[in-house]
């Protein structure tokens, strides 16, 4: 089935509505930043929230860090919705003259790793002091 989907910056009202429907999201979305929504008619079916910051390393450049990306409606996953939101944030990052777009995903999250791989992000697994791998930082150089 084909859906008429819109990917765009979300409004404050849409953000508040999402937080009311899914209270846990307040742990990953803050004020400001870049809030992108995937909408089918009046329904937010997916969202991304990212923020701009100085890269926490001595390079004097900015990055856009994606704190969360989710396709809420599981029946709509694996159809490129998240990839479209990533394309949208990459465009914004270019306009913002950021050096890179980055995110972190837990090591057990196969769909997320596949998503970053498909969108040409580098995958940098993070090794903990005990030798275990906790997750991967993923980066896209603009
Ligand atoms: C991760 C997530 C955002 C991906 O959204 P999506 O719209 O399905 O992503 P896309 O369709 O653009 O791409 C996903 C890719 O991963 C693949 N994939 C998804 N689940 C998979 C699985 N279990 N095993 C192998 N590949 C998988 C898809 O097939 C697709 O690749 P393909 O097009 O080459 O086949 C979605 O699964 C989700 O919302 N997960 C819960 C929240 C989350 O974990 N977010 C990321 C952490 S911040």
């Amino acid at each position: 089935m084909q859906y008429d989907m819109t990917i765009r910056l979300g409004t404050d009202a849409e953000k508040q509505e999402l937080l009311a429907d899914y209270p846990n999201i307040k742990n990953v979305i803050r004020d400001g930043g870049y809030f992108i929504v995937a909408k089918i008619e009046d329904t937010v079916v997916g969202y991304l929230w990212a923020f701009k910051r100085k890269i926490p390393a001595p390079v004097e450049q900015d990055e856009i860090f994606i704190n969360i990306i989710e396709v809420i409606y599981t029946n709509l996953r694996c159809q490129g919705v998240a990839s479209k939101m990533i394309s949208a944030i990459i465009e914004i990052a270019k306009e913002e003259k950021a050096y890179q777009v980055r995110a972190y995903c837990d090591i057990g999250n196969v769909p997320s790793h596949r998503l970053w791989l498909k969108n040409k992000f580098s995958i940098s697994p993070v090794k903990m002091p005990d030798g275990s791998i906790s997750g991967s930082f993923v980066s896209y150089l603009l």
Side-chain angles (χ1 to χ4, degrees):
M1 186 172 166
Q2 272 305 99
Y3 302 98
D4 199 2
M5 184 162 340
T6 312
I7 309 277
R8 59 163 168 76
L9 280 171
T11 63
D12 256 349
E14 284 166 337
K15 199 192 251 188
Q16 294 317 321
E17 211 171 301
L18 196 68
L19 289 168
D21 289 348
Y22 307 94
N24 286 342
I25 293 177
K26 71 173 181 314
N27 298 324
V28 282
I29 288 186
R30 297 198 292 274
D31 286 341
Y34 308 94
F35 175 57
I36 292 172
V37 292
K39 280 197 103 169
I40 295 177
E41 294 180 356
D42 285 340
T43 307
V44 171
V45 298
Y47 65 95
L48 173 160
W49 188 78
F51 62 99
K52 187 177 176 179
R53 69 174 179 190
K54 280 235 167 307
I55 298 175
V59 291
E60 303 302 323
Q61 296 278 350
D62 293 329
E63 68 179 6
I64 302 275
F65 196 92
I66 301 173
N67 231 31
I68 180 72
I69 178 166
E70 181 172 9
V71 177
I72 303 167
Y73 287 69
T74 51
N75 60 316
L76 294 174
R77 289 181 186 173
C78 298
Q79 295 176 40
V81 178
S83 294
K84 285 196 183 110
M85 292 193 284
I86 290 172
S87 299
I89 196 69
I90 286 175
E91 283 315 305
I92 290 172
K94 282 181 187 164
E95 285 163 22
E96 295 284 334
K97 308 230 180 302
Y99 178 76
Q100 63 189 12
V101 178
R102 215 151 66 99
Y104 178 82
C105 64
D106 291 330
I107 202 65
N109 195 338
V110 176
S112 184
H113 275 86
R114 294 286 166 175
L115 171 69
W116 304 115
L117 198 68
K118 175 179 164 183
N119 286 281
K120 303 275 178 216
F121 280 64
S122 67
I123 315 287
S124 303
V126 179
K127 201 175 202 174
M128 303 306 280
D130 69 358
S132 65
I133 309 283
S134 59
S136 303
F137 278 106
V138 299
S139 312
Y140 185 91
L141 196 57
L142 295 162

